[in-house]
Amino acid sequence: MLVSSTFRRVLSQSHHWNRVQNMTSQSSDLAKVLDGNALSKSIREDVAQHIQATQQKYPRFRPQLAVVQAGERPDSTTYIRMKARAAEQVGIQFKHIQVSSEATAEDIVKTVQELNADEAVNGILVQLPLGDAISSAGERLVTEAVSPQKDVDGFHAYNIGHLSSRAADPLFAPCTPSAVMRLLESSGVTIAGSTSVVLGRSDIVGSPVASMLRNADATVTQCHSRTKNIERIIKTADIVVAAIGKAEFIKGAWLKPGAVVIDVGINYVPDETKKTGQRLVGDVEYSAASQVASHITPVPGGVGPMTVAMLMHNTYQAAQRQWDAARSRKVKPLKLKLLEKVPSDIEIAMAQTPKPVAELAQEIGILPSELESYGKYKAKVDLSILERLSHRKDGKYIVVSGITPTPLGEGKSTTTIGLAQALGAELGRPSFACVRQPSQGPTFGIKGGAAGGGYSQVIPMDEFNLHLTGDIHAVTAANNLLAAALDARIFHEATQSDKALYSRLVPSKKGKREFASLMFKRLNKLGIDKTNPDDLTPEEIKRFARLDVDLETITWNRVMDTNDRFLRKITIGQNATEQGHERVTGFDIAVASECMAILALTTSLEDMQQRLGAMVVATSKSGDPITADDIGVSGALAVLLKDAIKPNLMQTIEGTPVFVHAGPFANIAHGNSSILADRVALKLAGTEEGDSSERVGYVLTEGGFGADMGMEKFCNIKCRVSGLNPDATVIVATTRALKMHGGGPDVTPGKPLHETYTKEDLVTLKEGCANLKQHIKNCKKFGVKVIVAINQFASDTNAELALVREEALSAGADGALVSNHWAQGGAGAKALAEAVVGICEGESGFKFLYDLNLSIEEKINIIGKEIYGADGIQLSDLAKQQVDTYTRQGYSALPICMAKTQYSFSHDPKLKNVPSGFTLPIRAVRLSAGAGFLYPILGDMQTMPGLGTRPGFWEVGLDKETGRVIGLF
């Protein structure tokens, strides 16, 4: 039997459907009765078997059908009950949504759109009619609101249109027409070449059946109640499909002997012998027709049960299709136009047109409801995605770090982006880069941006480096609100009595005083278990109202996101209104704020507020820590950061996804992008139970500066909080930095490079490889695989690149690859990507460097000796005092975040390569109680950078004609 592709798709997708063919039962008449009950049972059993087979491999496969009903029409309710029973029998979850009979078409459309967005719902059926209040145009509006991918009824214009076209297949054929075709198949009739007559022209049955018969190569005549000579036309038909809606309209004498008759009609006629007073009949005079036809369907028991069975088939098919699509999403790469002479970063970025961020989100599996667009090319991702994808096994987790860099940087961000492009665009694997948001300090200063460079960068790079979605501004606002609140509290305590202070803190409103909710934290801390403000004793009032700040212990500075050296130390309170309450303080750069460190380490909104409240800003005169909760500001800080907590989605220049979130300094804070961005990426790159290892994706998260800083802090701080274990670390190395460590001249921004760096020098290079070897050795102490990425420069010779690779492998690296992603994009990092895939197979052997229960001094000493190679540490008197204070206050079990120069393993930037024989001087130890670490300060570290003589802002401007940013790197 020859059938079209449409018919074949409707009839079957596997051999399971074949056994239903030729199922008939013999009646006492000449015609064979096509038993819809028996056939539908067989179809439902096959659907159930398909679902069970899929669930054995993928337990989370749960097809779901949603039916929308307006009002409570008894007949509609009966039909819905039938569908619900059938769904239960085959293992399909059933969702019945009832809306008011007064609901407008627009109301129902809104309900349908919500179901479209619900990925748990695979099929949507709108039970017609919708009621007298909704016109036929309104019904069409509702049915066309159903997503074509979930239109299991097959009524959407997309599916009807494709059904009518010889050049296309619909996603779904309507259920009743599909039932007709299945019954015809069971009769054994040859459809191709037959003469077929369809009576009826409705969009639900008549017209779709006519299309399906034509697609199956039948010669089709479509009739209706006003067709002339209808009896003569029917007499020529080998196949008759009656869907005209008139009781027993077609007489037996009209039929061609041996014709196959499919009766779709549902009509009630008077019958006094029945309890109801009526009888159900079809459009065909059954008693007479069965004497002429070769096969005929009864009413009831023919097309009706088959329609429900085909609905179950369509719903299963929808679920399977959506399941496969969700697991096989692919990012469509953007093509690169590589130039032999690589232009500036901004020129490359401006030459590429990014894809809309909504399109990128759809490609990687983010739902529209989870995306908050900020313009066309960047968006925030709602944290609800973590709950939706919580069942997934995480993808592979790789931290990208580097050797000890030169002031020019060694392309760690560029390598992160290039490797992500190679994995995603070249190898077709799910791939995510997670990087920090750059501060405007370096952007307008001397270092430049952090978007990568060349043909491996994040776009739009101007938006990436300037403002983005305002997260740094939110951090600045939160930090400075706390600073203002602290100074205001000090002033008010100094100028008011205990009673006046308490009265203003807990004012009477309409004759009643109540504690603010945050005040109970302070009461608890003080051991006061009273809930009525009027019950406190004078002594308790004093303890509650007075923070009694020791001004010499204040550690909280104001911040701004600009390099401004003259704000490092300032005097505040000089105006007469402050009544002589002056004090010396200073500014840090915004990304050095503890609020930023918290943003990067937090795991939820609730966790963030708790961390913000736990921040210690000073010590009281009695030696107790004073927190943001004590000042009463933590709720407001959380409000300022409630949007900043959501990761930002952008893209590489090849259109692969990048999460940009948080930007803590690596030489002051922990120097890593956010845990939340990593978690979201790991779930999007993750796999379902039953997936093969070939489906696993890769998340590349960047640790700031060398592996002795960003990577060490990633492991000992970030991984402790997140509970995530890295599978490998990538160490980025360049011949330039290695030659500098081997004794080459200083590398200074703005000055031409010495010829040592532009010509082959194997002796100096080999000497400097000791720095790379030490980083490899350090990373191995954490139990992870180590891959060295040799970031190729145009002046590098083959001999130099081969030497670095040999030295890396001899030091124990699991892989060492040359990568030319700066000049070639993802294609230039393809070999590196293939090595990452191979090396990351298997489970992680990750471990921490030290036990948190060791003393503060012991933990600092372990890092100094094991990672930096120091002989030991030496605490200043101030540092000893601070260590004693933090130990007494209960903070000794926190991890350590070393604040030191990035240009040396040691505290001294002049000590290159792998220095030895030195002692680490610990100038001070500060507490970030909210972020959850202690940070010893080594040497002359500054928390507010300064501008050089020739800052980068000289080059930055706007194109007068286009308004585009120019001169930005």
Side-chain angles (χ1 to χ4, degrees):
M1 179 171 61
L2 299 174
V3 293
S4 71
S5 61
T6 300
F7 188 34
R8 283 195 301 271
R9 190 188 59 75
V10 170
L11 296 180
S12 177
Q13 287 191 328
S14 77
H15 68 281
H16 289 286
W17 301 117
N18 295 335
R19 64 190 180 89
V20 304
Q21 294 181 2
N22 300 318
M23 288 190 62
T24 62
S25 61
Q26 186 70 45
S27 74
S28 58
D29 302 309
L30 294 177
K32 290 182 178 179
V33 177
L34 299 176
D35 188 348
N37 287 317
L39 186 54
S40 67
K41 181 182 177 183
S42 177
I43 291 171
R44 292 197 305 272
E45 287 174 351
D46 276 345
V47 169
Q49 289 175 11
H50 277 74
I51 291 172
Q52 290 167 8
T54 304
Q55 288 175 340
Q56 285 178 359
K57 186 175 183 181
Y58 303 110
R60 289 195 70 261
F61 180 72
R62 290 284 185 275
Q64 183 175 139
L65 171 65
V67 176
V68 180
Q69 179 186 13
E72 298 179 355
R73 279 179 54 127
D75 55 343
S76 293
T77 301
T78 300
Y79 296 145
I80 290 170
R81 269 201 299 266
M82 290 170 53
K83 293 163 186 173
R85 280 197 301 270
E88 182 182 1
Q89 290 170 357
V90 300
I92 291 174
Q93 295 178 335
F94 191 83
K95 188 174 188 176
H96 182 196
I97 300 99
Q98 273 190 294
V99 299
S100 167
S101 58
E102 305 299 320
T104 65
E106 289 74 17
D107 293 333
I108 302 174
V109 164
K110 185 178 180 181
T111 299
V112 167
Q113 289 171 339
E114 290 171 355
L115 294 171
N116 286 338
D118 186 349
E119 65 170 6
V121 173
N122 305 114
I124 303 170
L125 184 151
V126 178
Q127 186 67 44
L128 301 178
L130 291 173
D132 297 337
I134 297 179
S135 65
S136 57
E139 284 192 351
R140 174 57 61 187
L141 183 71
V142 170
T143 55
E144 291 192 3
V146 177
S147 166
Q149 287 76 19
K150 296 187 178 185
D151 174 38
V152 290
D153 233 357
F155 292 164
H156 193 282
Y158 174 93
N159 287 316
I160 291 293
H162 279 239
L163 184 68
S164 303
S165 170
R166 288 280 296 171
D169 281 341
L171 293 168
F172 303 100
C175 297
T176 300
S178 295
V180 169
M181 300 303 288
R182 294 293 287 272
L183 285 162
L184 283 173
E185 179 201 13
S186 73
S187 74
V189 66
T190 300
I191 298 175
S194 68
T195 299
S196 299
V197 171
V198 177
L199 287 91
R201 51 183 172 178
S202 73
D203 291 339
I204 296 175
V205 182
S207 294
V209 166
S211 295
M212 294 172 81
L213 286 167
R214 275 194 297 272
N215 289 337
D217 297 324
T219 300
V220 181
T221 301
Q222 191 172 2
C223 301
H224 48 81
S225 59
R226 296 184 182 181
T227 300
K228 293 181 179 180
N229 300 316
I230 194 167
E231 302 96 324
R232 190 184 308 162
I233 295 170
I234 293 172
K235 195 74 173 179
T236 67
D238 303 310
I239 296 171
V240 176
V241 179
I244 203 166
K246 290 181 175 291
E248 299 183 325
F249 177 77
I250 300 170
K251 310 303 178 184
W254 298 3
L255 298 174
K256 176 181 179 181
V260 178
V261 178
I262 308 295
D263 191 349
V264 186
I266 299 176
N267 309 284
Y268 287 94
V269 296
D271 189 340
E272 294 180 357
T273 67
K274 302 292 183 183
K275 288 183 179 180
T276 59
Q278 57 184 4
R279 173 169 50 92
L280 180 64
V281 299
D283 290 351
V284 178
E285 188 181 40
Y286 183 85
S287 58
S290 61
Q291 301 294 320
V292 182
S294 63
H295 297 80
I296 192 168
T297 57
V299 177
V303 176
M306 282 293 295
T307 296
V308 177
M310 295 313 301
L311 176 63
M312 298 303 109
H313 166 68
N314 279 1
T315 302
Y316 159 71
Q317 188 180 52
Q320 188 67 64
R321 186 184 290 130
Q322 291 162 37
W323 179 264
D324 291 340
R327 292 170 54 253
S328 59
R329 284 191 177 95
K330 294 283 186 182
V331 169
K332 297 175 184 176
L334 299 175
K335 291 183 179 180
L336 288 181
K337 297 178 182 178
L338 300 175
L339 299 177
E340 187 174 347
K341 185 179 179 182
V342 180
S344 69
D345 292 350
I346 189 74
E347 290 174 311
I348 292 172
M350 292 298 183
Q352 182 68 288
T353 301
K355 67 181 75 171
V357 71
E359 180 183 325
L360 174 64
Q362 190 276 331
E363 289 176 353
I364 62 178
I366 297 174
L367 301 180
S369 60
E370 296 165 343
L371 197 73
E372 299 174 10
S373 293
Y374 280 65
K376 194 174 182 181
Y377 302 123
K378 57 185 185 287
K380 283 191 167 293
V381 177
D382 194 84
L383 299 183
S384 61
I385 192 173
L386 290 171
E387 183 178 355
R388 179 173 67 86
L389 301 180
S390 61
H391 61 278
R392 286 190 183 177
K393 182 181 179 182
D394 289 345
K396 293 294 183 180
Y397 195 32
I398 300 152
V399 58
V400 182
S401 194
I403 61 171
T404 308
T406 69
L408 299 179
E410 309 318 307
K412 186 162 35 43
S413 298
T414 305
T415 302
T416 302
I417 302 305
L419 180 53
Q421 291 175 184
L423 286 163
E426 295 294 322
L427 302 187
R429 303 295 289 258
S431 160
F432 296 82
C434 293
V435 298
R436 290 173 295 163
Q437 179 184 350
S439 163
Q440 288 179 180
T443 297
F444 292 117
I446 203 164
K447 184 178 181 293
Y455 290 102
S456 294
Q457 57 174 302
V458 183
I459 57 172
M461 74 91 84
D462 56 330
E463 294 183 28
F464 176 93
N465 284 295
L466 304 171
H467 303 301
L468 195 60
T469 57
D471 292 350
I472 292 180
H473 303 315
V475 166
T476 302
N479 184 101
N480 292 346
L481 174 60
L482 178 53
L486 173 62
D487 282 313
R489 183 62 173 269
I490 293 170
F491 172 80
H492 292 307
E493 287 189 25
T495 57
Q496 296 180 51
S497 66
D498 295 344
K499 182 178 179 181
L501 189 61
Y502 186 65
S503 294
R504 286 176 172 83
L505 285 170
V506 192
S508 177
K509 295 179 180 178
K510 296 182 181 180
K512 186 177 181 182
R513 303 173 78 184
E514 290 182 342
F515 288 120
S517 58
L518 260 178
M519 290 179 174
F520 290 106
K521 276 194 172 183
R522 177 155 178 79
L523 289 165
N524 230 11
K525 178 178 175 179
L526 297 172
I528 302 172
D529 59 0
K530 298 174 181 177
T531 58
N532 185 349
D534 295 327
D535 291 344
L536 269 64
T537 67
E539 176 59 28
E540 288 172 336
I541 286 174
K542 180 177 181 179
R543 290 172 58 215
F544 172 81
R546 293 200 175 277
L547 300 179
D548 209 15
V549 177
D550 182 349
L551 300 185
E552 298 299 320
T553 66
I554 294 174
T555 56
W556 197 259
N557 284 348
R558 287 164 174 80
V559 300
M560 63 185 302
D561 197 35
T562 303
N563 289 358
D564 194 340
R565 67 175 66 245
F566 284 92
L567 292 178
R568 289 171 178 169
K569 187 175 183 180
I570 62 170
T571 302
I572 60 172
Q574 293 187 357
N575 196 54
T577 55
E578 276 56 72
Q579 303 177 28
H581 292 282
E582 296 182 8
R583 71 177 183 90
V584 174
T585 183
F587 270 77
D588 299 328
I589 197 161
V591 290
S593 169
E594 186 177 352
C595 294
M596 178 62 84
I598 286 173
L599 185 66
L601 289 173
T602 194
T603 55
S604 67
L605 268 172
E606 182 182 358
D607 175 70
M608 183 176 72
Q609 181 160 343
Q610 289 176 352
R611 287 176 177 274
L612 291 169
M615 292 188 299
V616 174
V617 297
T619 299
S620 72
K621 291 174 183 176
S622 59
D624 296 321
I626 297 171
T627 67
D629 273 340
D630 289 326
I631 300 170
V633 74
S634 59
L637 302 184
V639 167
L640 288 170
L641 295 173
K642 71 178 180 64
D643 292 318
I645 195 176
K646 302 169 188 175
N648 304 294
L649 177 64
M650 296 187 76
Q651 63 193 281
T652 69
I653 201 163
E654 292 192 61
T656 61
V658 179
F659 282 109
V660 187
H661 198 213
F665 263 24
N667 50 6
I668 300 168
H670 55 90
N672 285 263
S673 63
S674 77
I675 287 173
L676 286 170
D678 288 359
R679 280 186 170 176
V680 171
L682 285 166
K683 290 303 179 187
L684 289 169
T687 51
E688 298 280 347
E689 184 179 351
D691 282 341
S692 68
S693 60
E694 294 178 358
R695 288 189 177 274
V696 71
Y698 296 82
V699 175
L700 309 166
T701 190
E702 182 189 0
F705 296 127
D708 59 316
M709 300 193 71
M711 191 269 180
E712 182 271 317
K713 295 172 182 179
F714 168 86
C715 294
N716 282 322
I717 299 174
K718 185 176 179 181
C719 289
R720 287 187 197 272
V721 177
S722 69
L724 301 171
N725 294 337
D727 294 281
T729 184
V730 171
I731 300 177
V732 179
T734 63
T735 61
R736 179 178 66 198
L738 293 173
K739 286 179 180 179
M740 182 195 70
H741 288 296
D746 287 344
V747 175
T748 305
K751 290 185 179 180
L753 288 171
H754 190 274
E755 66 176 12
T756 298
Y757 302 106
T758 57
K759 294 183 179 179
E760 185 173 290
D761 185 347
L762 298 177
V763 174
T764 304
L765 179 62
K766 184 168 185 177
E767 183 69 21
C769 281
N771 184 270
L772 170 60
K773 289 182 175 182
Q774 185 62 38
H775 281 293
I776 295 170
K777 179 181 176 183
N778 286 347
C779 291
K780 285 286 184 178
K781 292 177 181 178
F782 293 96
V784 297
K785 304 286 183 66
V786 177
I787 304 157
V788 174
I790 307 165
N791 185 17
Q792 183 177 358
F793 291 167
S795 58
D796 293 340
T797 68
N798 290 335
E800 286 179 324
L801 295 172
L803 174 62
V804 176
R805 185 173 182 275
E806 290 167 8
E807 292 291 300
L809 294 174
S810 70
D814 297 278
L817 288 298
V818 176
S819 187
N820 194 18
H821 43 274
W822 181 79
Q824 297 176 8
K830 186 176 180 181
L832 177 62
E834 290 171 338
V836 166
V837 171
I839 290 169
C840 284
E841 289 185 359
E843 296 301 314
S844 171
F846 175 74
K847 58 187 178 182
F848 296 115
L849 184 67
Y850 54 79
D851 188 328
L852 287 181
N853 292 319
L854 297 173
S855 70
I856 296 173
E857 190 171 346
E858 284 177 298
K859 287 180 284 194
I860 298 172
N861 197 46
I862 288 173
I863 296 173
K865 287 183 175 181
E866 293 292 327
I867 301 298
Y868 306 154
D871 290 341
I873 64 173
Q874 183 175 14
L875 274 65
S876 69
D877 290 341
L878 173 61
K880 288 179 182 177
Q881 179 186 339
Q882 290 168 326
V883 166
D884 290 343
T885 298
Y886 300 143
T887 302
R888 178 174 49 78
Q889 291 176 342
Y891 295 112
S892 64
L894 294 177
I896 303 300
C897 183
M898 302 286 266
K900 74 171 188 71
T901 178
Q902 64 268 34
Y903 298 126
S904 172
F905 273 117
S906 75
H907 60 287
D908 185 351
K910 295 177 183 178
L911 298 179
K912 304 299 184 186
N913 214 349
V914 186
S916 60
F918 63 93
T919 299
L920 284 179
I922 310 300
R923 185 178 94 216
V925 178
R926 292 185 183 173
L927 171 65
S928 287
F933 55 73
L934 294 156
Y935 62 104
I937 299 177
L938 285 62
D940 300 321
M941 276 304 304
Q942 297 292 333
T943 55
M944 170 59 85
L947 291 172
T949 308
R950 181 62 160 75
F953 60 66
W954 280 92
E955 313 295 338
V956 180
L958 292 174
D959 184 287
K960 295 177 182 178
E961 294 182 3
T962 65
R964 280 186 160 190
V965 175
I966 57 174
L968 196 64
F969 328 123

